[in-house]
Amino acid sequence: MIKSLLTSLLLPLSVLAVPAPGPDGTYTLSAPGITAKFIAYSAAITSLVVSDRNGVKRDIILGYDNGSFYPVDPNHPDYGAVPGRYTNRIANHTYEIDGTRYFTEANDGNGTLHSGLNGWSRRTWNVSEVTNSSITFTIRDEGNSSLGFPGLVLGKVTHTITANTWSTKLSAKAVEHKTPIMLTTHPYWNLDAFANPATDLVLNHTLSLPFGERMIGIDGTTQSTGALPKVKKGGVNDFVSKPKQLGASMSDPDWVGNCGSSFGCSGYNNQWIVDRGGPDQDKPIATLSSDWSGIKWDLYSDQAGVVVYSCYWMGGKFPPQHLNF
C-alpha cells in the first residue's frame, strides 16, 4: 500500500545547510519497500519504485531520469510537481476578493491553469532540509510574481518516505494580503510501470472513490461552473457505487466529452468532492490498483476533493515512460 497524505499546516520557514543532489540531479530517499527521488524544480517527485506481486521493482510515477530536463520540457506536463499558489483552474481568468476584482493570466483558453506560466510548478524551490527520511522545499512567492495574485506568500512542502509510504505535507501562508491559495501534488501514475505487454495505458487500472458522490461542475472548456452535481449511478463518473476500471465506461455515450465537451475530451479530467463524516476521516479517499502488477495505491488526505486525469491531452513528442534525458 502506498499512502499520499496532503495537509495544510502553517509552519515557519527555515534555511539549513543541505547536501547537493546526486549525479542525476535528484535527491533519493529510501525505506523498506519503497525508493523515491525528488528535485527542487517544482518541488517534484520524479520516481517512486516499489515491488510488484512477484518482487520485481517497478517505477510507478511518470517522470524523467535526468532532473535537468524538467525546466526545459516544452510540453511542461507538471510531472510530480507542486502547483501553486493556486492549483487547477480559475474560470475566465478572474476572481473577486472583498469587492476588488483581479485578473490572472489566461494560459488555458480563457481560463487560468496552475496560476499561469509563472506558477510554483515552473520555479526552482529552495532545498531547506534533507534527512534520511524526508526532504523539505520552500518558496518565497512575491505578490504578482504570478499575474493577478496579490501579496507575499511563503510556501513549504515536505516529502517523507517511510515503509511502503510516501507522505506529503503542504503549507502556505499569506503574509501581506488576502489571496487565493490551493495546493496539491501532481503525480502521474502507471502501476504497471509501462511493462504490461498488453497496454501502456492505465485504462485497465481499477479505481475506487468511496466518498465521491458529487463533483465540481465544468463547462465545455473544463472551466468550473459553480455547480456541484451528483454522480449518476452507473454512469461514466460513478466510482462510488463500486470500484471499476478506468476504461470500463468507454462505450457509454457520455465518455466522449466527459472532460470537456467543446474539445471532445474522452475520459477523465474531473474533480470529485470528498463527502465523508467523522468516522471515515482515517479511511482512504481513493484506491487505484492493477490486476497485472498486483500493486495497489491508497490515497489518504484531509482535503475536500480529488482530481482524476486519464491523460487525454498527453500526446506530446515523448513516449509515456521514464525517459533518459
Side-chain angles (χ1 to χ4, degrees), residues 241-290:
S241 297
K242 61 180 181 180
K244 69 176 182 181
Q245 289 190 346
L246 286 168
S249 297
M250 291 180 66
S251 62
D252 191 306
D254 293 334
W255 175 262
V256 177
N258 186 59
C259 49
S261 58
S262 295
F263 314 113
C265 179
S266 301
Y268 303 101
N269 190 10
N270 309 81
Q271 181 168 334
W272 282 256
I273 298 171
V274 179
D275 287 317
R276 59 179 173 179
D280 296 321
Q281 293 301 312
D282 294 330
K283 296 179 180 179
I285 65 170
T287 296
L288 186 69
S289 62
S290 165

Side-chain angles (χ1 to χ4, degrees), residues 190-320:
N190 188 310
L191 302 185
D192 295 341
F194 300 101
N196 186 339
T199 180
D200 60 3
L201 304 178
V202 296
L203 298 179
N204 64 328
H205 288 21
T206 298
L207 177 65
S208 173
L209 299 174
F211 308 108
E213 296 184 353
R214 294 185 299 158
M215 303 180 70
I216 301 294
I218 59 173
D219 64 16
T221 65
T222 72
Q223 305 302 313
S224 300
T225 64
L228 303 175
K230 279 197 158 187
V231 169
K232 177 184 174 183
K233 186 174 178 61
V236 171
N237 297 314
D238 185 8
F239 294 94
V240 64
S241 297
K242 61 180 181 180
K244 69 176 182 181
Q245 289 190 346
L246 286 168
S249 297
M250 291 180 66
S251 62
D252 191 306
D254 293 334
W255 175 262
V256 177
N258 186 59
C259 49
S261 58
S262 295
F263 314 113
C265 179
S266 301
Y268 303 101
N269 190 10
N270 309 81
Q271 181 168 334
W272 282 256
I273 298 171
V274 179
D275 287 317
R276 59 179 173 179
D280 296 321
Q281 293 301 312
D282 294 330
K283 296 179 180 179
I285 65 170
T287 296
L288 186 69
S289 62
S290 165
D291 291 338
W292 184 84
S293 67
I295 296 172
K296 184 180 77 166
W297 168 67
D298 289 325
L299 172 64
Y300 294 80
S301 175
D302 63 357
Q303 300 300 287
V306 58
V307 173
V308 177
Y309 176 42
S310 57
C311 297
Y312 176 82
W313 301 108
M314 292 292 289
K317 298 180 181 178
F318 307 112

Side-chain angles (χ1 to χ4, degrees), residues 113-229:
L113 178 62
H114 299 329
S115 302
L117 297 180
N118 194 37
W120 291 5
S121 63
R122 295 175 179 266
R123 302 190 206 176
T124 299
W125 294 49
N126 299 311
V127 183
S128 296
E129 184 177 8
V130 180
T131 72
N132 290 334
S133 61
S134 69
I135 185 167
T136 297
F137 300 102
T138 56
I139 191 169
R140 181 183 177 90
D141 185 23
E142 300 289 348
N144 285 302
S145 59
S146 295
L147 180 66
F149 293 93
L152 171 66
V153 170
L154 303 178
K156 182 176 181 179
V157 174
T158 299
H159 298 289
T160 302
I161 298 297
T162 55
N164 300 312
T165 302
W166 162 42
S167 300
T168 303
K169 292 183 179 180
L170 308 170
S171 67
K173 183 176 182 180
V175 178
E176 303 170 336
H177 198 286
K178 287 184 180 180
T179 188
I181 295 176
M182 184 166 67
L183 306 180
T184 191
T185 55
H186 202 279
Y188 292 78
W189 301 89
N190 188 310
L191 302 185
D192 295 341
F194 300 101
N196 186 339
T199 180
D200 60 3
L201 304 178
V202 296
L203 298 179
N204 64 328
H205 288 21
T206 298
L207 177 65
S208 173
L209 299 174
F211 308 108
E213 296 184 353
R214 294 185 299 158
M215 303 180 70
I216 301 294
I218 59 173
D219 64 16
T221 65
T222 72
Q223 305 302 313
S224 300
T225 64
L228 303 175

